[in-house]
Every structure is written in C-alpha cells, then in structure tokens.
Amino acid sequence: MLIVSEAAVAELVGPDDALAAVEAVFAGMADGTARNFPVVREALGHADALYGFKSGFDREGGVLGVKAGGYWPGNAARDLTNHQSTVCLFDPDTGQCRALVAGNRLTALRTAAAAAVSIRHLAPPDAAVLGIVGAGHQAAFQLRAALRERPFRRVLGWNRHPERLEGLAAVAAEGGLPFESAGLERLGRDANVIITITSSFEPLLRAEHVQGPTHIAAMGTDTRGKQELDPALVARAACFTDEPEQAAALGECQHAVAAGRLETAAITPIGEVIRGRHRGRGEGAELTLFDGTGVGLQDLAVAALALRRAEAQGMAREVAL
Ligand code: NAD
C-alpha cells in the first residue's frame, strides 16, 4: 500500500489540476458512469466534532474509495486545520487498499475547484467584481481558484470578523487586484460573482441584497441546518449543484425545498452544463446559483491524481498492511 503525505500533495496538485479533475468527475456523474454513495455525517458528542464518510466509484476512471474525517472546531487553537480528512483508495478489481492519501489540502483544493467550475460555466462572461463572504481556512483557496476564471477587476469581502479579511486582501494582491471590505448590501449589489464560504446557520445574503446579472457559488452549507442565503434568493435563482438529492437534503437548497419554494427536480446537475446538455445561464438569465455540497467523487478524483503523480515521481511511500 502507498502513502501520499500532505507535503507531497502540496507539491503535486495545484488549482488547475484540481479544476480539471473535478470538472471531469462532475461530467461523469451526469453521464451516470460515476456515482456517490450515501454520506455518513454524525455529531460525535466529543470535542464538538462532526465526523463522517464520503465515498463513491468512478467506473471510467477506475477510482474507488472513501474520504473519512470531518470538522473539529477546536483545532485552530491547537494550530491545526479544523477540517481533518484522509482518503483511502481501493483497487476496484480486488478491493485491496491501494493507498492512503492525505486529504486536508485536497479538500480545500477540490472545494475551491467546484466553485471555479461553476464560475467557468455559469458566471456572466463579463463579470468584473468578485465578492467573497467568509474568511476562514477555505476562503483563500476559493478566491485563488475563482480569480483564474474571469478577468475580475476588483474583489469585495465580508466576514463576521472583518480583521480576518487581511489574508484575502493578500490573495487579491497576488493577482494585482484591489480588495475592499464591504457590507453585505454593497457586496450583493456590486459583485457579479459571489462565493459564500462560512459556517453560518442563518441567512447572510438576502434577496434584496443581490442585484443584476449575478452568479452565486454557495459553498459553506454542507450539513443539515446550515444556511448562508435567504430562501427567497435561492427561489429566484436558476439552481445548479453537484448532486441534486444532496443539495435538497443538506446543501443550501434544503431551506427553499423545505419551504416549498423549490422542487428538487428543478436543481440541475452542473455536469449537464459541462456536457452541453443544459444551456446553463442562458439568454437573459439574471441569477444563477451553484449549491456546492461537496461529494466524495470530488475527493477521490483529486486523490487519484495525487497518487498517480506521486507514483510517477517516486513520492509515494510503500508500506505493507
Ligand atoms: P473555518 O472554520 O476556517 O472558517 C469559518 C468561516 O465561517 C469564518 O469566516 C467565520 O467567520 C465564518 N462564520 C462562522 N460562523 C458564522 C456565522 N454564524 N455567521 C457568519 N459567519 C460565520 O472553516 P472553513 O474551512 O473556511 O470552511 C468554511 C465552511 O465551508 C465550513 O462550514 C465548512 O464546513 C464548509 N465547507 C464546505 C465544503 C463543501 O464541499 N461544500 C468543503 C469544505 C468546507
């Protein structure tokens, strides 16, 4: 069995690689050649942690595996990432464990890649202002990946604790872009692309905040009860997602679905747009929403890529089970 460390992943997989891998597996999901298995996610009743498994099988790619891990909110105080995960890849022909791949950086990359894929396929082509809501660990990855998808001219950021926006200002500066801290009203009004990436349990962006042709990538809500958007805003949008059933159960769409303002059948898998079977934003569409719930196949796609590269470059460590 092979082991691929966090340090190796950081050398081997970048934002463009993650985007290509995630885009391909979203397309495979829409084709029915790749499928996710039911997610397990439980509150441990210990360390305030959420723990679970995301797994799936990509038949075309020959990738079978599971990501185990979750969210430990006390980790930051210990100088550790709150999200902790490890991907286990199996040989689909024998069931033998092929590799353990460190999953922390890969999770950040694959989540940022999902939003970037949605911007590539759904954002207004001339989007000039990017808004980002949230400034935790994941936000810098989101911003870096998103900036590659449109020739943005400035970035607006909002966070509950605005002093934490400094890190995002630095990422914008890497791309030579001005960054401003903004209230949600201004951010919603001025931004043409908005990424939400918080752990909020109540709506932050309201329907009246968002004006004009806009694409929202709602990435923070991945658990029942979490919420970043006003359901009226979701109901107004053309809704896209990674996995419609999951979006309706535990993604941002859960609240509009529960309120009877959105049908699960009206949420389009983004793979349909990638494959060209759905027109995406379409003529005259004002508001598009990508509900990025996070699926196991995203994790497996980037982990399989890291493993292939680690093997090719002699960066995987072999151990006997
Ligand atoms: P983090 O703990 O580093 O940061 C949390 C962020 O949420 C901070 O900006 C914080 O200010 C903000 N926040 C927390 N509670 C809030 C509230 N009540 N109102 C407004 N803002 C609030 O976490 P992270 O690693 O940056 O991840 C952010 C969120 O994204 C988490 O909820 C995480 O579960 C989710 N996530 C989703 C996916 C996916 O695939 N959809 C993947 C990774 C992370």
Side-chain angles (χ1 to χ4, degrees), residues 38-44 49-55 66-72 84-86:
V39 174
V40 174
R41 194 160 165 92
E42 296 287 331
L44 276 190
L50 286 172
Y51 169 71
F53 308 97
K54 286 188 170 179
S55 63
V66 59
K67 179 171 91 165
Y71 191 72
W72 276 259
Q84 289 292 327
S85 61
T86 308

Side-chain angles (χ1 to χ4, degrees), residues 193-216:
V193 172
I194 301 172
I195 299 168
T196 59
I197 184 71
T198 73
S199 305
S200 177
F201 279 79
E202 59 203 38
L204 301 171
L205 265 184
R206 304 211 155 266
E208 61 273 20
H209 290 156
V210 178
Q211 292 172 20
T214 308
H215 174 64
I216 302 175

Side-chain angles (χ1 to χ4, degrees), residues 196 203-208 210 216-218 221 226-241 247-248 251-264 266-267 287-291:
T196 59
L204 301 171
L205 265 184
R206 304 211 155 266
E208 61 273 20
V210 178
I216 302 175
T221 299
K226 279 171 143 181
Q227 186 172 16
E228 299 185 292
L229 307 180
D230 181 354
L233 183 59
V234 175
R236 206 172 85 200
C239 293
F240 300 84
T241 188
E252 191 59 48
C253 288
Q254 64 181 291
H255 306 284
V257 169
R261 303 187 70 163
L262 177 67
E263 299 279 339
T264 308
I267 311 171
L287 180 63
T288 49
L289 167 69
F290 174 69
D291 183 355

Side-chain angles (χ1 to χ4, degrees), residues 4 22 27 44 60 69 74 92 97 103 114 163 173 203 218 227 277 286 312 321:
V4 184
V22 166
L44 276 190
E60 302 275 292
C97 185
E163 63 280 5
Q227 186 172 16
R277 293 190 290 257
E286 281 281 295
L321 259 190

